[in-house]
Amino acid sequence: MPFPGASMWRQKLRSFFEKTPVIHYIKQHETVVIGEIIVDVKNILLRPYACDGSHCLSMQALPNHLEGYGLTFYNEVAAYGDCCRGPIVFISQAERQRIAEHLEGILPHMSQEGQFIVKEYLRQKGPEHTQEAFAESARGTLGEQQGQELDFAKMHTIWGDQCIFRTLHHDGLRGQVRCAIHAYTVQAGLSYLDLKPVDCWFWPLALVPLYTGQFLLTVHTEETRHFTEESENYTKKRCLTEPIPGASSIYQSFRKELVYVFGQEWFDALVACAARYHQRAAR
């Protein structure tokens, strides 16, 4: 039985959570509800988006100086702007295990630095430590879990901020960033959705839990980052602020991902909603 005053208490809770940034955002923007998912119309149905691994990059040659000779030469190229450089990627233990099972096949697709780090680690520690060769176990820092291994891990980085599976292909002027895990799945005839970390293949989509039990499906943007918990830097990625000309709407670009997460029936309902909005926009 509900305790005395339960109705009033629920109303107080509702009045509190109704003031949160995500609920305020929903009230201010057009949405459609499909099952338990509240879909952000502007960002999911209408926003153009595509990722080709090159549109986001800024290339810069790095000079080396020979002191005493006054000579400068260029033998390194840095590429900035892609989403595989900068973030800390956390993976579940299940994701870590799957990557470890395929690491031998992924290895040839990695950068020279990445290959060296993995091979050297396995040479020193042995193949029984394959999971540690590319990801570090997360441990509790406070309270009763302090020092204990948690149920997720942090992907290793190279030069401080590049994912260990990030590879850069370039001719000195133009470049393209690729994921070694993704490249391996294509070659092996596997689905990248079954092997890549979900944080990688779901970005820039964001699924925000609500106090109602529903979820808001939106995109990491400057306007939403306060409740999607994305950094300001990543909401300014070129793929979001300057989409590739002619790019499809984001729900179309993420068809495989959305079907994988929500199912074909849900996605078909989303397509039907999108068609109505696109027809209205064309008038």
Side-chain angles (χ1 to χ4, degrees), residues 121-135:
Y121 189 93
L122 294 177
R123 184 187 70 79
Q124 294 183 24
K125 301 293 185 178
E128 65 272 17
H129 293 280
T130 298
Q131 291 189 16
E132 289 78 34
F134 60 88

Side-chain angles (χ1 to χ4, degrees), residues 3-131:
F3 62 86
S7 177
M8 184 176 66
W9 176 245
R10 282 197 299 269
Q11 186 60 37
K12 285 185 177 180
L13 286 177
R14 179 181 178 86
S15 67
F16 174 77
F17 285 108
E18 286 287 323
K19 300 173 185 176
T20 59
V22 63
I23 299 298
H24 179 73
Y25 177 87
I26 291 172
K27 289 181 177 180
Q28 298 295 318
H29 295 80
E30 191 168 7
T31 60
V32 293
V33 180
I34 305 176
E36 296 299 312
I37 309 302
I38 299 175
V39 179
D40 184 345
V41 170
K42 178 181 69 174
N43 280 319
I44 300 299
L45 302 186
L46 303 180
R47 172 186 285 273
Y49 180 87
C51 175
D52 65 0
S54 61
H55 178 69
C56 54
L57 288 184
S58 295
M59 304 289 293
Q60 180 181 357
L62 300 179
N64 291 299
H65 299 279
L66 294 180
E67 294 183 6
Y69 291 91
L71 298 177
T72 299
F73 63 97
Y74 297 87
N75 68 350
E76 294 290 341
V77 173
Y80 300 88
D82 61 289
C83 61
C84 301
R85 181 172 190 154
I88 297 175
V89 177
F90 291 104
I91 58 176
S92 68
Q93 294 297 355
E95 290 173 325
R96 190 184 192 185
Q97 178 62 36
R98 288 195 295 269
I99 294 172
E101 292 171 355
H102 292 268
L103 189 59
E104 184 176 353
I106 296 170
L107 199 59
H109 299 276
M110 296 174 66
S111 65
Q112 291 183 346
E113 296 88 349
Q115 291 186 40
F116 174 80
I117 290 171
V118 170
K119 290 178 179 178
E120 184 63 16
Y121 189 93
L122 294 177
R123 184 187 70 79
Q124 294 183 24
K125 301 293 185 178
E128 65 272 17
H129 293 280
T130 298
Q131 291 189 16

Side-chain angles (χ1 to χ4, degrees), residues 67 81 139 248 270:
E67 294 183 6
R139 297 185 180 278
S248 301
L270 181 71

Side-chain angles (χ1 to χ4, degrees), residues 108-278:
H109 299 276
M110 296 174 66
S111 65
Q112 291 183 346
E113 296 88 349
Q115 291 186 40
F116 174 80
I117 290 171
V118 170
K119 290 178 179 178
E120 184 63 16
Y121 189 93
L122 294 177
R123 184 187 70 79
Q124 294 183 24
K125 301 293 185 178
E128 65 272 17
H129 293 280
T130 298
Q131 291 189 16
E132 289 78 34
F134 60 88
E136 173 187 355
S137 295
R139 297 185 180 278
T141 57
L142 298 172
E144 296 181 356
Q145 288 188 313
Q146 185 173 358
Q148 295 181 15
E149 185 172 321
L150 304 178
D151 60 353
F152 60 91
K154 181 175 78 71
M155 201 82 86
H156 286 330
T157 55
I158 299 174
W159 308 127
D161 66 352
Q162 301 177 45
C163 174
I164 193 170
F165 294 110
R166 175 187 187 266
T167 62
L168 172 65
H169 303 261
H170 69 90
D171 60 8
L173 297 175
R174 292 181 56 80
Q176 183 182 49
V177 167
R178 302 174 189 171
C179 170
I181 300 176
H182 197 127
Y184 162 72
T185 61
V186 171
Q187 184 185 70
L190 303 173
S191 171
Y192 61 88
L193 299 173
D194 292 326
L195 198 53
K196 288 180 67 173
V198 64
D199 278 2
C200 299
W201 56 254
F202 203 66
W203 194 91
L205 299 182
L207 195 61
V208 183
L210 306 174
Y211 78 95
T212 59
Q214 298 169 296
F215 292 85
L216 171 67
L217 178 63
T218 186
V219 173
H220 294 292
T221 68
E222 179 61 25
E223 195 175 12
T224 66
R225 73 181 183 87
H226 304 290
F227 54 82
T228 65
E229 300 183 359
E230 183 57 274
S231 69
E232 182 179 5
N233 179 48
Y234 269 72
T235 63
K236 294 181 178 179
K237 292 297 181 185
R238 194 178 180 195
C239 60
L240 294 173
T241 60
E242 302 175 44
I244 296 173
S248 301
S249 297
I250 201 167
Y251 79 92
Q252 295 169 312
S253 297
F254 277 80
R255 179 186 62 81
K256 290 182 180 179
E257 289 81 357
L258 292 173
V259 170
Y260 187 86
V261 174
F262 301 115
Q264 186 64 55
E265 184 177 353
W266 184 92
F267 184 76
D268 290 341
L270 181 71
V271 171
C273 286
R276 292 194 293 271
Y277 279 96
H278 284 282

